[in-house]
Structure formats: C-alpha cells, structure tokens
C-alpha cells in the first residue's frame, strides 16, 4: 500500500488534472483524469447531497466530471488541512477553493473530499462534501432554472 503522503500527492495530481479540464477538453485529458480511479470505482463528483447514484467506473467518472464542468470549474484549489484514516487507505482534504460558475467567480467555496485507495494507489471510492447553494444560486441567476426559482402563489 502506498504511503499516505503518496496518496495525498495522487489526490493533488487528480485535482490538478480536474482544474485543467474544460467541457471542450480532448478525450485524452478526460482519460488522464479517469486514470486516477479504479475500473470499479464509485465517485460522487458533485456532492454527496445531490447525487443519489454515484458515477461508476472510469467511464462513469468521465461522464460525471463532464456534467460538473457544465456549470463550474476549479479556478484555484486551496488546501486547508489533510487527514488520513488509521490504516492509511482513506485520506481527506479540506479545501477553500475558488470556482468559476457560468463565468462568475465564487470565492471562497469550502468543500471536503474523501478518497479511498486500493493497494495499487487507485481511487475506489471518492466523495465530495459541500453545500452547493451558492453554486445553485449563480446557475439559477444565469440560466433562470433551478430549485430557488420563485413560483407564483395562488390565493
């Protein structure tokens, strides 16, 4: 099993690859991102609250990150703290990132990511924990669609 330091380095590299992705990135860039994950992985790339079903496998990870990139991208990742499990197979990182959401900057955006790795150093389980309300508010303001849309009240 790789050391927790090595796993944190891999998670940092994953986020570097993620931050360099755009909706128009070539397939090779998405494959590079997916290569951090095990073939049978489960990943919640948006938020644990939002997704009932995780992205499954590398193809699912590519589809999932493409969906995330429709609304937001990581402009700058700022690590606040790092944690690891007692057995060293799970790491977590607390971040205060700067995002761009439909062309508007959102700074800071706090989130925590947790990744479980296998003995090959590939991610088998990935979860993002955050409150997406600030993102949803911007998406709704720009697109006119979203859960905070005002609905007329019938009297």
């Amino acid at each position: 099993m790789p050391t927790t330091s090595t796993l944190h380095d891999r998670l940092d590299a994953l986020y570097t690859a993620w931050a360099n992705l755009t909706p128009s990135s070539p397939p090779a860039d998405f494959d590079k991102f997916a290569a951090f994950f095990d073939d049978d992985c489960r990943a919640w790339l948006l938020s644990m609250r939002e997704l009932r079903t995780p992205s499954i496998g590398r193809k699912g990870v590519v589809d999932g990150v493409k969906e995330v990139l429709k609304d937001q991208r990581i402009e700058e990742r700022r690590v606040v703290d790092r944690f690891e499990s007692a057995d060293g197979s799970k790491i977590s990182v607390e971040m205060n990132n700067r995002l761009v959401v439909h062309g508007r900057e959102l700074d800071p955006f706090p989130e925590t990511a947790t990744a479980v790795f296998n003995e090959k150093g590939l991610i088998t389980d990935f979860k993002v924990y955050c409150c997406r309300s600030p993102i949803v508010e911007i998406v709704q303001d720009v697109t006119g669609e979203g859960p905070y849309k005002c609905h007329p009240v019938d009297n």
Side-chain angles (χ1 to χ4, degrees):
M1 180 65 147
T3 66
T4 56
S5 177
T6 302
L7 297 181
H8 279 291
D9 290 345
R10 288 194 54 76
L11 191 58
D12 290 346
L14 168 81
Y15 268 93
T16 297
W18 193 343
N20 288 318
L21 289 173
T22 67
S24 61
S25 291
D29 290 353
F30 286 101
D31 291 342
K32 179 180 175 183
F33 176 79
F36 288 95
F37 294 86
D38 186 74
D39 290 331
D40 298 319
C41 70
R42 297 178 337 142
W44 288 264
L45 299 165
L46 192 60
S47 165
M48 288 299 295
R49 180 181 179 276
E50 298 274 338
L51 297 177
R52 294 175 195 231
T53 313
S55 298
I56 306 288
R58 287 183 175 166
K59 181 183 180 331
V61 165
V62 168
D63 293 342
V65 79
K66 284 181 178 180
E67 194 62 32
V68 171
L69 291 170
K70 288 180 182 178
D71 291 324
Q72 71 190 57
R73 68 178 178 76
I74 302 165
E75 185 69 21
E76 181 182 1
R77 179 175 178 249
R78 299 184 199 117
V79 173
V80 175
D81 209 348
R82 299 173 187 272
F83 311 92
E84 51 275 329
S85 62
D87 72 357
S89 66
K90 181 192 286 188
I91 62 169
S92 297
V93 61
E94 179 185 350
M95 298 166 286
N96 243 349
N97 297 334
R98 183 165 50 102
L99 304 181
V100 173
V101 181
H102 284 271
R104 295 187 185 170
E105 188 171 286
L106 179 57
D107 186 17
F109 184 72
E111 63 184 334
T112 299
T114 300
V116 177
F117 290 83
N118 63 18
E119 61 285 340
K120 297 175 189 172
L122 297 173
I123 298 170
T124 59
D125 189 86
F126 182 81
K127 296 178 176 115
V128 174
Y129 298 91
C130 62
C131 175
R132 290 189 38 82
S133 295
I135 294 171
V136 172
E137 185 177 2
I138 293 171
V139 170
Q140 182 169 304
D141 188 46
V142 170
T143 67
E145 297 297 322
Y148 304 141
K149 185 176 176 180
C150 293
H151 299 281
V153 178
D154 294 329
N155 291 331

